[in-house]
Amino acid sequence: MADDAGHKAMLYFLEILMNSPAPLTISQLAGRFGSRNFTSEMRQAAGGNETGLKKFLQKYPSLFTVNGNLVVILMVFFFFLLIIFNHWTI
C-alpha cells in the first residue's frame, strides 16, 4: 500500500491522543517523532516537522480537531471504535 506509513502514523497519533487525559499540543505530538516505534517513513508521511504534522492531522477531520496548537480526537469516533471492537454495546 502506497500510504501505509501515513496510515500507521495516523493510528499512532490517534492512540496517543486516546490515552491522553487532556488535549496535546502539536509540539508534544511532534516530539513523538523520535519514538522507537515511530519509523522514519512514518515521520516523512506525517510531515516531518510541526507545521507538516498540523497539515497531516488536518487531513483527517473526522478523527482529529486541530484548534490553534491543540489537538483532540473526536469522541464520536472513539465511541464508534468501542462499538466495533465489542467493548461496549448499545
Side-chain angles (χ1 to χ4, degrees):
M1 176 181 263
D3 198 29
D4 191 41
H7 288 115
K8 287 180 181 179
M10 177 270 297
L11 291 171
Y12 179 86
F13 288 120
L14 185 62
E15 181 178 1
I16 295 298
L17 288 162
M18 283 174 43
N19 291 320
S20 175
L24 297 175
T25 65
I26 292 289
S27 298
Q28 289 172 310
L29 291 173
R32 305 287 181 137
F33 283 155
S35 170
R36 179 175 40 149
N37 298 325
F38 206 84
T39 66
S40 60
E41 293 84 6
M42 290 166 61
R43 179 181 176 149
Q44 182 178 2
N49 58 39
E50 290 182 25
T51 302
L53 178 58
K54 186 172 185 175
K55 290 177 185 177
F56 174 77
L57 296 174
Q58 289 173 328
K59 292 188 333 185
Y60 301 97
S62 61
L63 303 178
F64 304 103
T65 298
V66 180
N67 187 4
N69 199 34
L70 288 178
V71 182
V72 295
I73 60 169
L74 296 176
M75 293 309 291
V76 172
F77 181 75
F78 179 70
F79 288 123
F80 176 71
L81 283 178
L82 288 176
I83 293 168
I84 286 177
F85 293 110
N86 274 335
H87 290 102
W88 192 36
T89 57
I90 295 178

